[in-house]
Amino acid sequence: LGNETYSESTHREEFAKYLNELCKAVHAADPNHPIVYTTPVDVGIRDFAKFTPELDVLGSSSYAGPGMLTFTVIRTKKKMNKPVLFMVSAFLDEGSGRSNLTEEVKIWSDVEMWKRGVLRSRPRTLGGFFRGWQDKEYKDWSGKDHKDLWGFVRKDGTAKEANIAAVHDVLLEE
């Protein structure tokens, strides 16, 4: 039910209460539908614990490194008693000004997030998913060219074997 809205809000408590009302409405329409709201790392966890009890799962955009994933799961369990679902965005994210990193370094980052983050956070996490399916090229609002190499596969659709191996390892340990 949203992605990182709380962190951009100036009325955070009100947003958490509104999110709870949305959760109630979804549960009324479909009581078996689990509801996830995604926040950067664990931003807002205190307000969600206090004002959003109808939320079923905390979604976490994992920008901060594999150790932070484990920390997020522990805090979420302690404060909210809810499981976590990670959007694996790699801790060397281009949003941190690192868009000039090679594909090899970015793949290493993804693999570390899975192996040292998602895997070590179980069983308190539901798992995770990669932020993007495919690499892409685009122009930003100012016309500057960007190469987003954070996809699970390359722009031409070929597999990044290290990413596949990392997810394979996760599934084998189930």
Side-chain angles (χ1 to χ4, degrees), residues 52-58 76-77 80-84 124:
T52 318
E54 295 292 319
L55 184 66
D56 298 309
V57 179
L58 182 70
T76 304
K77 173 74 174 162
M80 296 177 65
N81 197 29
K82 306 282 183 179
V84 175
R124 296 175 301 266

Side-chain angles (χ1 to χ4, degrees), residues 12-131:
R12 291 179 169 181
E13 181 179 320
E14 291 83 358
F15 175 80
K17 289 176 181 177
Y18 177 70
L19 180 59
N20 198 60
E21 293 304 312
L22 291 174
C23 291
K24 285 180 183 178
V26 171
H27 283 147
D30 182 356
N32 296 318
H33 191 107
I35 301 169
V36 181
Y37 172 77
T38 303
T39 191
V41 188
D42 65 356
V43 172
I45 196 168
R46 287 188 180 116
D47 280 346
F48 297 141
K50 187 173 182 179
F51 303 115
T52 318
E54 295 292 319
L55 184 66
D56 298 309
V57 179
L58 182 70
S60 176
S61 299
S62 54
Y63 303 117
M68 186 56 82
L69 273 70
T70 303
F71 178 75
T72 297
V73 169
I74 291 168
R75 269 184 47 114
T76 304
K77 173 74 174 162
K78 181 179 178 183
K79 301 278 185 195
M80 296 177 65
N81 197 29
K82 306 282 183 179
V84 175
L85 177 65
F86 290 110
M87 180 187 73
V88 179
S89 184
F91 62 101
L92 297 176
D93 190 288
E94 74 273 9
S96 304
R98 299 182 176 108
S99 60
N100 60 344
L101 297 175
T102 65
E103 179 183 88
E104 181 179 76
V105 171
K106 290 182 178 188
I107 289 173
W108 171 85
S109 175
D110 277 340
V111 168
E112 290 303 302
M113 290 294 278
W114 278 94
K115 288 185 175 178
R116 295 191 301 126
V118 176
L119 278 175
R120 289 187 183 167
S121 298
R122 292 180 319 179
R124 296 175 301 266
T125 182
L126 297 178
F129 58 92
F130 281 92
R131 181 184 70 158

